[in-house]
Amino acid sequence: LETVPRQIPYLTPPPDRMTYWANRLKEISGFKVGLCWQGSPHFPYDRIRSIPFAKFHRLFTVEGVAWISLQQGPGRAQLDELRPNGPVFEFPESPDEQLPLMSETAAVMSQLDLVITSDTSVAHLSGGLGIPTWLVLSRYPEWRWLWDRESSPWYPSMRIFRQQTHGNWDEVFSVITDELNMRMNTIK
């Protein structure tokens, strides 16, 4: 662990896109939290790492939070099913077709207070940007997250929330909701 590089941030979004999203998101009041719940369905272990968006619903009970969807691809359709249950701002897949999507996502993230994500590229992007990130992991995650740790040696700004029982996302989101409520109470 001592040899793991920790020079964070090692990624920087394009400055013009950071300015664009700063102007766009300043109209949204509250503690801005980005959410991502699903990775590529073509990944062999996606069923273990991706989380149904319905499991995030409990978080919407936390007052003072503005929710920003960072979800791209097939998981975006789940927003329509739950839209009445929580205010979620969606940014377009890319306002500039010439700009890579991850650069746009990074620019949005740079304007957030926290990112809560499943084990997707969004976790690595926010970690590389040095953004406070809460990673939600299954009981049997990929090797790089190690075992029984609440932190990542690669991403010092990341906190890990793990399933204690395989398949039980409710338990994890209960803990995350309590933690977010505590954080919001310290901000007030």
Side-chain angles (χ1 to χ4, degrees):
L1 292 178
E2 303 80 43
T3 63
V4 173
R6 295 166 205 220
Q7 300 291 331
I8 302 294
Y10 61 81
L11 298 173
T12 306
D16 62 322
R17 299 314 296 166
M18 288 172 56
T19 301
Y20 172 84
W21 285 108
N23 290 330
R24 183 105 186 263
L25 294 176
K26 73 180 175 187
E27 299 169 8
I28 299 174
S29 62
F31 188 76
K32 294 176 183 69
V33 178
L35 300 176
C36 184
W37 51 92
Q38 183 174 325
S40 170
H42 304 296
F43 180 70
Y45 299 104
D46 187 59
R47 70 188 187 290
I48 295 171
R49 69 176 183 157
S50 288
I51 305 166
F53 184 58
K55 299 300 180 184
F56 284 77
H57 177 256
R58 173 177 275 173
L59 298 176
F60 296 149
T61 63
V62 179
E63 293 183 18
V65 177
W67 303 102
I68 315 296
S69 172
L70 300 172
Q71 183 64 49
Q72 299 294 321
R76 286 175 71 116
Q78 295 177 47
L79 279 170
D80 293 334
E81 300 166 14
L82 297 168
R83 192 168 311 286
N85 296 319
V88 177
F89 173 83
E90 291 180 74
F91 73 95
E93 291 204 39
S94 182
D96 179 354
E97 291 182 14
Q98 303 303 312
L99 188 68
L101 185 58
M102 292 306 272
S103 293
E104 197 70 16
T105 303
V108 172
M109 285 181 181
S110 73
Q111 306 307 309
L112 302 180
D113 299 303
L114 176 67
V115 170
I116 301 175
T117 181
S118 62
D119 183 7
T120 69
S121 59
V122 166
H124 298 284
L125 182 60
S126 62
L129 291 164
I131 294 167
T133 304
W134 290 0
L135 175 64
V136 188
L137 287 181
S138 72
R139 178 74 181 132
Y140 305 107
E142 184 188 36
W143 65 269
R144 84 182 79 221
W145 304 120
L146 307 174
W147 290 102
D148 300 323
R149 290 180 61 101
E150 289 187 3
S151 62
S152 165
W154 287 272
Y155 306 123
S157 63
M158 183 175 286
R159 181 167 175 200
I160 299 173
F161 293 84
R162 298 171 182 271
Q163 282 182 344
Q164 298 305 304
T165 307
H166 180 65
N168 187 346
W169 292 116
D170 293 332
E171 181 180 67
V172 178
F173 278 96
S174 177
V175 171
I176 294 171
T177 302
D178 290 346
E179 289 291 322
L180 191 54
N181 269 314
M182 283 192 290
R183 168 141 333 160
M184 294 308 296
N185 286 335
T186 62
I187 293 173
K188 293 179 183 177

